[in-house]
Amino acid sequence: MKLNWWKRLLKNAITKWRCAIATLLIAIITIINPVGLHPAQAILAQGDAITDPEAILRYALPIDNDIIRQIQGDIEKISRNLRAKRWAPVEKEVRNAAFLLKLHQDDLVQSVPEELQPKAKELVTAITEDVAKLQELVEKQDKEQVYLTRARILDNITELEEDMVTGYPFTVPEEYANLPQLLGRATVEVETTQGNLTIVVDGYSAPVTGGNFVDLVERKFYDGLPFIRAEDYYVLQTGDPEGEEVGFIDPDTNKYRAIPLEVLVKGESEPLYGFTTEDVGMYLAQPVLPFNAYGAVALARPSTDPNGGSSQFFFFKFDTEVTPPGYNLMDGRFAVFGYVTEGADVLEKLTAEDKIISAHVIEGKENLVKPQQS
């Protein structure tokens, strides 16, 4: 059940990836193939890959609204240009967002269900006012206040986008009706011996994997369990119960609960189940929930069985030298079901000497659908 194969692959590739650039693509393909990758997989790093977990979660929401996405993108890009003190692009991005808001305030309000429109109007007004304030701060080149105002705007954009979601985007295959499903999102707080972590679980993209995790949290399965694998720049793994079993034994069936590999690929209407993206020839497929962000949370599984995961999961300790954002060896091979949105500093400190004290669902419990027992 432990992840035994990927560390060797990553270490073999680390020095090659560090210098990978487009002009050396042919050479990179030649170098990387000895570790068993398809040539197309040698296209690794994406310069514009999103590494912010909250941004990834925003883009994963099943909504179709180009206006809010453009505003979101403009506000998000501020951070990158601000780090380099490129004030001209920052000013342009804020101006673009302000223009779109001026033209489309009413459209944005009407993009949510009628009963939520009063709330949406407040959110759009707050976003508009803060973008205007942002323009003033950019003129003054007040870097600290720009960051703070940007964060507040994105929080409100997230809330507005969440309200734009209507219904669930697809039907989970009937063959998985015996497994818990998370038809929406849930937030889990994990108390550890080093501090607390907050995980947002995305059931829109991983309903079966996310439902299994939230159900086990509800059962108090993880309370008191140690971290069984902790490696810098790789993973922090837990979920192995005491005794001979390596996963969860469902007391209703007295059987090992096996969870299928579940990966939603960008552009697809529903997840791929039971196979890695490589298995089905989707070598360049980009998952909606990628391993781009430090603190991605994914289901562990046996190296030989994509559908053998159960209770064990791992936090991916993203490092740009080990796994460049974009295509990498993990995407499509393991199912990400959420991200650490608070407590990255705690995650960095955790080792195999630590353990989970308790885990609680603090939001979204109502989105968990449990199978009916006969």
Side-chain angles (χ1 to χ4, degrees):
M1 179 63 65
K2 296 180 181 179
L3 308 178
N4 296 317
W5 61 273
W6 55 267
K7 179 181 176 182
R8 175 177 56 83
L9 291 179
L10 291 174
K11 284 190 172 180
N12 286 345
I14 184 171
T15 56
K16 306 178 184 75
W17 287 351
R18 188 174 296 162
C19 299
I21 57 176
T23 56
L24 296 179
L25 183 58
I26 301 300
I28 292 171
I29 292 174
T30 303
I31 293 170
I32 295 224
N33 262 341
V35 299
L37 295 180
H38 186 279
Q41 287 181 289
I43 305 174
L44 297 173
Q46 298 276 294
D48 59 351
I50 301 171
T51 58
D52 177 0
E54 296 195 37
I56 293 172
L57 287 164
R58 277 191 290 272
Y59 281 111
L61 287 167
I63 63 173
D64 184 15
N65 189 303
D66 290 339
I67 300 303
I68 195 63
R69 291 301 196 199
Q70 289 178 54
I71 295 169
Q72 173 190 330
D74 284 329
I75 300 301
E76 286 173 345
K77 284 186 289 187
I78 289 172
S79 178
R80 179 180 59 193
N81 288 318
L82 206 55
R83 285 196 297 271
K85 296 182 180 180
R86 294 194 294 261
W87 287 102
V90 171
E91 190 274 333
K92 180 180 178 181
E93 287 149 3
V94 176
R95 186 174 66 246
N96 289 344
F99 180 71
L100 288 170
L101 285 162
K102 182 178 180 180
L103 289 181
H104 298 286
Q105 284 191 50
D106 291 341
D107 296 332
L108 292 172
V109 171
Q110 293 169 12
S111 296
V112 307
E114 186 175 356
E115 66 274 15
L116 295 176
Q117 288 182 9
K119 175 188 173 186
K121 187 173 182 179
E122 293 179 3
L123 288 169
V124 172
T125 298
I127 293 167
T128 303
E129 290 174 352
D130 274 340
V131 169
K133 181 178 180 181
L134 205 54
Q135 289 180 294
E136 298 175 2
L137 294 169
V138 170
E139 288 181 10
K140 297 176 182 177
Q141 297 191 2
D142 188 336
K143 190 173 181 180
E144 181 179 352
Q145 288 302 314
V146 167
Y147 272 122
L148 292 173
T149 305
R150 171 187 176 274
R152 187 166 61 243
I153 292 170
L154 288 174
D155 285 344
N156 284 332
I157 286 176
T158 298
E159 194 168 349
L160 180 62
E161 289 180 345
E162 288 172 343
D163 288 345
M164 288 180 178
V165 178
T166 55
Y168 195 76
F170 57 87
T171 301
V172 176
E174 182 64 27
E175 62 189 291
Y176 306 123
N178 63 319
L179 298 171
Q181 298 175 17
L182 184 66
L183 304 182
R185 285 186 173 169
T187 303
V188 174
E189 185 173 69
V190 180
E191 182 184 0
T192 78
T193 45
Q194 293 289 351
N196 290 2
L197 306 169
T198 299
I199 302 171
V200 174
V201 184
D202 184 21
Y204 290 122
S205 304
V208 176
T209 318
N212 173 66
F213 175 72
V214 173
D215 177 62
L216 293 178
V217 169
E218 283 282 271
R219 292 173 182 266
K220 307 297 182 185
F221 178 86
Y222 295 112
D223 292 8
L225 289 187
F227 293 103
I228 58 173
R229 187 184 187 96
E231 301 181 39
D232 289 341
Y233 311 122
Y234 293 106
V235 299
L236 177 73
Q237 187 169 330
T238 187
D240 186 8
E242 293 183 2
E244 296 182 1
E245 300 297 342
V246 293
F248 174 64
I249 305 300
D250 192 329
D252 294 320
T253 63
N254 290 320
K255 294 181 179 179
Y256 178 90
R257 182 196 280 175
I259 304 300
L261 181 63
E262 178 182 50
V263 179
L264 179 60
V265 172
K266 288 182 179 179
E268 298 296 321
S269 59
E270 57 188 57
L272 171 68
Y273 286 96
F275 299 94
T276 68
T277 52
E278 183 181 8
D279 288 338
V280 296
M282 301 173 72
Y283 299 110
L284 300 183
Q286 297 183 59
V288 172
L289 302 180
F291 283 96
N292 286 355
Y294 183 90
V297 187
L299 189 70
R301 64 171 179 83
S303 60
T304 57
D305 184 4
N307 304 306
S310 181
S311 60
Q312 293 192 43
F313 70 95
F314 61 94
F315 299 94
F316 194 62
K317 303 178 80 171
F318 173 81
D319 181 87
T320 54
E321 292 185 348
V322 177
T323 315
Y327 303 114
N328 59 62
L329 292 176
M330 305 296 283
D331 284 342
R333 294 172 181 250
F334 292 89
V336 175
F337 58 85
Y339 296 90
V340 172
T341 57
E342 294 180 32
D345 56 331
V346 174
L347 178 57
E348 188 174 356
K349 293 187 290 187
L350 288 167
T351 72
E353 303 299 316
D354 292 299
K355 68 177 182 177
I356 293 175
I357 296 173
S358 64
H360 307 276
V361 180
I362 59 175
E363 189 176 340
K365 189 181 301 186
E366 69 279 3
N367 295 325
L368 179 64
V369 178
K370 298 185 179 183
Q372 296 293 326
Q373 299 299 327
S374 58

